[in-house]
Amino acid sequence: MNYSAEAPAVWDPSFADAEDCLLSSDQCVVHARHYFVKGLVEIPIVGSDEVFSWGVWVSLSRENFSRSADLWDTPGREAEKPYFGWLTTDLLVYSPTTLNLKTHVHTRPVGERPYVELEPTDHPLAVEQRAGITLDRVRDIAEAVFHSGSSEEQ
């Protein structure tokens, strides 16, 4: 019930050895100018208590990234106000692209990935986040991701 992108769309493997770049399982920095955190776009599954999640990357301002990093291991960090960000994961099962959708990143308790709330637009991903999806849609997504050979994984 979860697919996750390994890196933001702007990441290139050649950055791995650069001193001003970083890619961890939770944070990414590109050339000390672009800052990203990994979070979850959660979509309720209609008729159940389950949730489907996309593990996505969101760009943050330098200030918000620094604040997030400073609070990374701080109990009570979930009281932090949401950070504005731009979605930087291209989920290929959606058209138009999911790149650069406006988001709010909600910090959760230590050890939990942030919740990524999409701006309430008519983009299919935003609509699904608000309205939910069926189990058939989950199966369609799984099949599309599996057949795309993308870096998204379960």
Side-chain angles (χ1 to χ4, degrees):
M1 295 294 216
N2 180 329
Y3 290 93
S4 187
E6 293 180 23
V10 298
W11 180 260
D12 186 277
S14 67
F15 298 162
D17 295 327
E19 287 187 23
D20 61 351
C21 295
L22 161 83
L23 177 62
S24 74
S25 60
D26 300 302
Q27 299 171 319
C28 180
V29 177
V30 174
H31 300 306
R33 285 192 314 262
H34 306 284
Y35 305 90
F36 309 89
V37 294
K38 193 168 190 179
L40 298 174
V41 172
E42 296 178 342
I43 303 172
I45 298 175
V46 177
S48 80
D49 293 332
E50 293 190 70
V51 172
F52 177 85
S53 299
W54 288 107
V56 298
W57 292 88
V58 176
S59 67
L60 297 180
S61 68
R62 179 183 194 145
E63 295 76 22
N64 285 342
F65 180 84
S66 293
R67 175 90 176 143
S68 171
D70 289 346
L71 296 174
W72 200 256
D73 294 317
T74 304
R77 69 182 190 166
E78 62 273 16
E80 187 74 357
K81 68 179 179 139
Y83 305 122
F84 175 80
W86 298 95
L87 191 63
T88 54
T89 299
D90 189 10
L91 300 172
L92 300 177
V93 302
Y94 295 97
S95 181
T97 182
T98 56
L99 289 174
N100 297 318
L101 293 177
K102 292 179 182 179
T103 70
H104 284 95
V105 178
H106 298 263
T107 305
R108 290 180 167 163
V110 173
E112 293 183 37
R113 284 207 191 280
Y115 170 69
V116 177
E117 175 189 15
L118 295 166
E119 180 182 52
T121 65
D122 62 354
H123 189 282
L125 178 59
V127 170
E128 287 184 349
Q129 187 176 45
R130 287 192 312 272
I133 58 176
T134 64
L135 276 175
D136 285 341
R137 174 69 174 140
V138 172
R139 284 190 277 277
D140 291 345
I141 290 170
E143 187 174 313
V145 169
F146 178 75
H147 290 303
S148 74
S150 71
S151 63
E152 294 161 4
E153 58 192 36
Q154 188 171 4

